[in-house]
């Protein structure tokens, strides 16, 4: 049995399967297909030729453009057919041809996408990814499985992120970059293989960070990556010095956290 709010507008040429939950003021354009375990939140709009399938929840006000396929099975040879989930937050914009997959059993079973994110044409979010808020995936960005991306990250067109990689908040990934290793918060990575060239100073400034704080982060960056010890040893050594600097502590916590991947650095991947 369908649960369709009275205020929803469903085009007669679309298919809403029994069991789907359609919220208030949802708009479903022509030639869309909504599966039986899908929940569309208030004000969601599917423009045309959109497929939303699997056990998928789409948050309030999200707009999905033509030929997107949201909630498809994970593209994993280890997927055992178990019912897993995809959650997309509020006020996201999902452009033409975007694909997002549900999780895998071994990966926790959940792919999670936060609020106010922009996914440009043909970008891909694979199984078990965990995405924060205010993220931009430019055209043709590819996220492999189990990737974690923190808030306000921007990924340039055609960039690709290796499975299990983490990208810290407000980092910037240049177009066509290959992201094989974790990228620290506020980092700027370019190239293939990707090299951590410095900090996303422009993004930090546009985000409202004060100049004095930016200078603190830049000084800490040099201490971490140009110090005599290893990256983690250098990071641990300066923690007390920067105890009052929230952005630097974000970087230090990111470096100290457990991870399946090594850390990107100005030297890792540099063949020069």
């Amino acid at each position: 049995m369908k649960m369709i709010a009275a205020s929803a507008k469903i085009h007669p040429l679309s298919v809403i399967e029994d069991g789907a939950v359609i919220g208030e003021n949802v708009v479903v354009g022509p030639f869309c297909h909504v599966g039986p375990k899908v929940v569309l939140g208030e004000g969601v709009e599917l423009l045309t030729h959109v497929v939303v399938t699997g056990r998928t929840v789409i948050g309030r006000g999200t707009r999905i453009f033509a030929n997107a396929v949201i909630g498809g099975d994970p593209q994993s040879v280890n997927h055992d057919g178990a019912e897993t989930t995809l959650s997309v937050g509020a006020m996201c914009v999902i452009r033409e041809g975007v694909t997002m997959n549900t999780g895998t059993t071994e990966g926790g079973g959940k792919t999670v996408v936060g609020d106010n994110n922009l996914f440009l044409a043909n970008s891909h979010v694979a199984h078990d990814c965990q995405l924060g808020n205010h993220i931009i995936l430019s055209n043709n960005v590819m996220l492999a499985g189990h990737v974690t991306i923190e808030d306000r990250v921007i990924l340039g067109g055609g960039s690709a992120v290796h499975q299990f990689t983490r990208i810290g908040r407000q980092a910037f990934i240049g177009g066509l970059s290959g992201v094989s290793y974790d990228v620290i918060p506020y980092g700027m990575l370019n190239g293939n293989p990707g090299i951590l060239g410095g900090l996303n100073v422009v993004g930090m400034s546009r985000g409202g960070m004060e100049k004095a704080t930016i200078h603190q982060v830049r000084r800490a960056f040099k201490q971490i990556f140009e110090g005599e010890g290893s990256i983690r040893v250098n990071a641990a050594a300066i923690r007390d010095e920067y105890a009052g600097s929230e952005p630097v502590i974000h970087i230090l916590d990111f470096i100290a956290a457990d991870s399946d991947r090594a850390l990107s650095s100005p030297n890792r991947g540099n063949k020069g």
Side-chain angles (χ1 to χ4, degrees):
M1 180 179 178
K2 304 181 185 74
M3 296 179 63
I4 301 177
S7 59
K9 298 179 180 179
I10 311 296
H11 196 282
L13 294 178
S14 283
V15 174
I16 310 295
E17 294 197 41
D18 287 344
V21 177
I22 310 298
E24 297 286 347
N25 300 309
V26 167
V27 176
V28 178
F31 305 109
C32 296
H33 189 141
V34 178
K37 298 176 182 178
V38 169
V39 177
L40 302 183
E42 178 183 357
V44 167
E45 182 178 4
L46 313 183
L47 273 71
T48 183
H49 293 86
V50 174
V51 175
V52 185
T53 187
R55 187 170 287 280
T56 298
V57 176
I58 307 295
R60 173 183 56 83
T62 288
R63 301 182 73 216
I64 307 180
F65 285 69
N67 300 313
V69 180
I70 309 300
D73 285 349
Q75 298 177 71
S76 169
V77 295
N78 297 318
H79 180 54
D80 58 6
E83 189 173 82
T84 55
T85 66
L86 166 66
S87 173
V88 177
M91 306 305 293
C92 292
V93 176
I94 300 173
R95 294 303 302 254
E96 295 82 359
V98 170
T99 51
M100 297 183 182
N101 296 156
T102 57
T104 61
T105 302
E106 68 271 20
K110 298 179 181 180
T111 302
V112 178
V113 173
D115 302 332
N116 296 288
N117 295 315
L118 173 59
F119 300 89
L120 298 187
N122 301 306
S123 53
H124 174 66
V125 178
H127 57 86
D128 305 297
C129 286
Q130 308 290 308
L131 274 61
N133 307 315
H134 299 281
I135 294 164
I136 299 175
L137 269 63
S138 300
N139 297 63
N140 303 303
V141 168
M142 297 169 286
L143 304 184
H146 313 275
V147 166
T148 298
I149 300 182
E150 296 182 353
D151 295 349
R152 298 187 182 279
V153 170
I154 297 176
L155 294 102
S159 54
V161 183
H162 192 284
Q163 62 185 359
F164 294 101
T165 298
R166 301 177 299 144
I167 301 179
R169 67 180 64 190
Q170 215 164 314
F172 181 89
I173 308 300
L176 301 178
S177 293
V179 187
S180 298
Y181 304 107
D182 292 349
V183 181
I184 61 167
Y186 314 106
M188 178 175 286
L189 183 138
N190 285 283
N192 189 2
I195 297 171
L196 185 69
L199 293 167
N200 181 19
V201 174
V202 172
M204 294 158 73
S205 179
R206 288 177 177 173
M209 190 179 292
E210 296 180 355
K211 287 185 178 180
T213 304
I214 293 173
H215 288 316
Q216 279 187 326
V217 177
R218 295 177 78 169
R219 185 169 70 250
F221 181 91
K222 289 183 178 180
Q223 291 172 290
I224 293 167
F225 292 100
E226 297 178 12
E228 294 183 359
S230 69
I231 293 172
R232 287 185 169 81
V233 168
N234 292 341
I238 65 172
R239 180 173 288 272
D240 290 343
E241 179 181 351
Y242 292 97
S245 175
E246 185 177 10
V248 175
I249 294 301
H250 288 159
I251 294 172
L252 301 183
D253 287 345
F254 185 93
I255 291 171
D258 291 336
S259 178
D260 292 292
R261 306 297 297 164
L263 285 161
S264 297
S265 76
N267 296 316
R268 191 181 298 280
N270 192 338
K271 297 179 180 179

